[in-house]
Amino acid sequence: MDSLKEDREDVKLLTAWVSPYGMRAMIGLAEKGIKYEYVEQNLRDKSPLLLQMNPIHKKVPVLIHNGNPISESLIVLQYIDNVWNSPHTAFLPSHPYDRAIALFWADFADKKVCFPGLETFRTKGEVQEAAKCEFLQNLAILEGELKGKNYFGGDRFGLVDIALTPFTSWFHAFESLGRFKIHLEEKFPNIWAWKKRCLERDSVKKTLPNPEKVLVTATEIRKRRLGEI
Ligand SMILES: N[C@@H](CCC(=O)N[C@@H](CS)C(=O)NCC(=O)O)C(=O)O
């Protein structure tokens, strides 16, 4: 992207620091080297701007590009990739079949790992037990998918990596509040090595919050969800 174009870009991100979905957008923008205005949102008292920009889901993240809102993090990532398109920073492969496969795994990670992962800390009883099982079973599928690879797409950090890596900053909260152990290093060595590799990237390093800080916020979210505060 030339500097003249960059000067004209108006890019804002409505997010919340602890939101793993928002972190996806932050990593995506950082990977592309896009300057943007970070607008922290209070999800317990949603701003008129958030409600106006994402009236259907009323969730973060919302990317606002030259006044146009884009919501749903996986769609936001594809939008970022399409707008600031360069062969060196592409999040998705160019071949249609390879793209479809990457989108399949991003969708799998989203629905079958990230969502049950979040359910492990904010539910209780049978629902919580089922979430822990689902999360660990599907993490094992991702472990197999990573075998012999540096990243989900091979040698290149891409959409699936961006979609999944923010959730690793929540694993500590899942374990503590879900009262279970993931045993990442012992049972999921490919994911363990991949996580360390992702954390070496500036985009990830500067985006992911401290897991202890995440735990404090996750504890409040859990209490509120379960009606304990
Ligand atoms: N599918 C959405 C999920 C976004 C989401 O759940 N965001 C949460 C924060 S992590 C949120 O805004 N929650 C507010 C609410 O549910 O009212 C995405 O991928 O962007």
Side-chain angles (χ1 to χ4, degrees):
M1 191 173 62
D2 60 64
S3 57
L4 187 65
K5 195 171 161 207
E6 191 172 338
D7 287 345
R8 288 190 196 142
E9 303 277 6
D10 178 13
V11 185
K12 287 190 181 65
L13 182 67
L14 311 188
T15 187
W17 69 269
V18 80
S19 167
Y21 300 101
M23 291 175 214
R24 289 174 171 174
M26 291 169 70
I27 294 170
L29 289 165
E31 284 289 329
K32 299 284 184 180
I34 305 304
K35 290 193 199 123
Y36 64 97
E37 184 186 342
Y38 176 99
V39 190
E40 177 75 14
Q41 299 295 300
N42 177 355
L43 297 178
R44 276 181 287 142
D45 182 16
K46 293 180 183 168
S47 69
L49 183 63
L50 175 59
L51 298 177
Q52 184 196 341
M53 293 290 143
N54 191 359
I56 306 293
H57 294 303
K58 305 177 179 66
K59 291 185 179 198
V60 295
V62 183
L63 182 75
I64 310 175
H65 183 208
N66 296 332
N68 299 315
I70 305 102
S71 53
E72 289 297 301
S73 58
L74 293 179
I75 296 172
V76 169
L77 284 176
Q78 289 173 72
Y79 180 83
I80 292 170
D81 201 28
N82 289 333
V83 171
W84 294 285
N85 182 355
S86 112
H88 306 294
T89 63
F91 299 161
L92 283 166
S94 53
H95 191 282
Y97 184 72
D98 296 339
R99 282 175 91 86
I101 295 300
L103 290 170
F104 170 86
W105 285 113
D107 181 67
F108 175 84
D110 204 43
K111 293 181 180 146
K112 301 289 187 184
V113 178
C114 303
F115 182 76
L118 292 171
E119 291 288 272
T120 64
F121 91 87
R122 61 189 181 191
T123 58
K124 60 182 182 181
E126 280 177 20
V127 177
Q128 188 177 37
E129 292 312 308
K132 287 188 233 176
C133 263
E134 193 183 356
F135 171 73
L136 290 173
Q137 273 172 7
N138 293 332
L139 204 60
I141 293 178
L142 291 183
E143 171 72 9
E145 184 53 26
L146 260 181
K147 191 163 182 245
K149 296 189 213 166
N150 283 336
Y151 299 107
F152 281 94
D155 282 334
R156 194 170 176 147
F157 182 76
L159 188 86
V160 185
D161 308 294
I162 303 176
L164 207 56
T165 194
F167 286 82
T168 62
S169 66
W170 275 77
F171 283 7
H172 177 51
F174 295 171
E175 291 183 315
S176 303
L177 300 172
R179 299 209 174 85
F180 74 119
K181 283 269 169 223
I182 300 172
H183 296 294
L184 198 65
E185 186 170 6
E186 299 81 9
K187 295 197 177 154
F188 304 96
N190 298 329
I191 296 179
W192 168 260
W194 163 86
K195 178 191 157 191
K196 282 191 5 193
R197 205 170 291 123
C198 291
L199 271 168
E200 282 164 13
R201 300 183 79 83
D202 278 349
S203 64
V204 176
K205 210 186 306 177
K206 71 179 190 195
T207 298
L208 264 49
N210 179 336
E212 288 297 341
K213 237 183 111 193
V214 172
L215 174 60
V216 173
T217 301
T219 306
E220 282 169 24
I221 295 172
R222 175 178 170 81
K223 284 187 182 158
R224 218 173 296 118
R225 278 252 180 163
L226 299 181
E228 292 166 7
I229 47 172

